[in-house]
Amino acid sequence: MTLNETVDGVLRMNRLLLKIAITAMAGSLLVSNSSFSQILPPAKKAGYVEIALGPKLEFARDDLAIIRWTTNTPGGSDEHFGVVYYGTDPRNLSRMAKSHIRLNRAHAETIFRVRVSGLKPKTTYYYTVTSMESNGKSDGVKSRVNQFTTPGPGDRFVAYPPQPVAPPK
């Protein structure tokens, strides 16, 4: 076998590998059909959104808290925010914390969890919760004013998951 025959063989093999690579890449682009990655139009808004459970303090330490509540799924945009308005005076809930959530259209209920940070130890905070679409449009639900007290430095409060209840004897 001459040097020219060897070079021709290598070039043919490289062309074949290049064709296979291009074919595989083109095939993967065709398989990743755009219908799998489409952004769905907004879901039908719920006629009435109500808080089914909570709001409750899920977790707290001296400088942060997590507030949790459940509503019927509000519909509209899949991109939503849980919002907590809070402060140390129940008549002045001027601070706000919000957390992003993506609605699951297959679920009848949505659990919102919002992290409230920058708190002071051993301080009572008052709060109310609501939810909104990513465009700022309210879901039309708002809780009554609730309260919690942050624990002292180094302490924490955990209320979720709830502790199992012993069966009756």
Side-chain angles (χ1 to χ4, degrees):
M1 184 179 258
T2 68
L3 181 59
N4 284 340
E5 292 172 333
T6 304
V7 171
D8 284 343
V10 170
L11 289 176
R12 272 191 235 113
M13 180 58 94
N14 283 341
R15 281 190 203 118
L16 176 62
L17 290 174
L18 183 60
K19 284 181 182 179
I20 291 171
I22 289 171
T23 303
M25 189 157 57
S28 70
L29 291 174
L30 292 174
V31 170
S32 65
N33 189 331
S34 63
S35 67
F36 292 116
S37 60
Q38 276 184 346
I39 296 175
L40 297 172
K44 182 180 178 191
K45 291 283 283 179
Y48 179 74
V49 179
E50 65 181 332
I51 296 174
L53 185 62
K56 295 282 184 192
L57 179 67
E58 177 180 311
F59 173 87
R61 63 181 199 212
D62 61 345
D63 63 341
L64 73 87
I66 297 175
I67 309 295
R68 174 188 183 103
W69 70 98
T70 303
T71 70
N72 55 309
T73 298
S77 166
D78 288 345
E79 303 300 321
H80 262 67
F81 287 94
V83 181
V84 174
Y85 292 99
Y86 66 100
T88 55
D89 178 348
R91 294 172 307 278
N92 184 18
L93 306 179
S94 59
R95 296 176 69 188
M96 180 188 70
K98 66 180 182 176
S99 294
H100 176 262
I101 186 171
R102 185 163 176 82
L103 299 182
N104 185 332
R105 295 177 186 206
H107 292 173
E109 295 181 326
T110 298
I111 299 172
F112 291 92
R113 297 175 71 240
V114 175
R115 178 185 173 127
V116 181
S117 56
L119 305 178
K120 294 180 182 167
K122 295 187 176 183
T123 303
T124 298
Y125 288 92
Y126 300 89
Y127 68 95
T128 186
V129 303
T130 187
S131 59
M132 70 173 89
E133 293 183 65
S134 61
N135 63 7
K137 185 176 180 185
S138 172
D139 288 328
V141 64
K142 187 175 180 181
S143 74
R144 63 178 176 77
V145 175
N146 296 277
Q147 73 181 62
F148 66 89
T149 301
T150 52
D155 291 335
R156 66 184 185 144
F157 172 80
V158 179
Y160 191 86
Q163 299 303 315
V165 176
K169 293 182 181 182

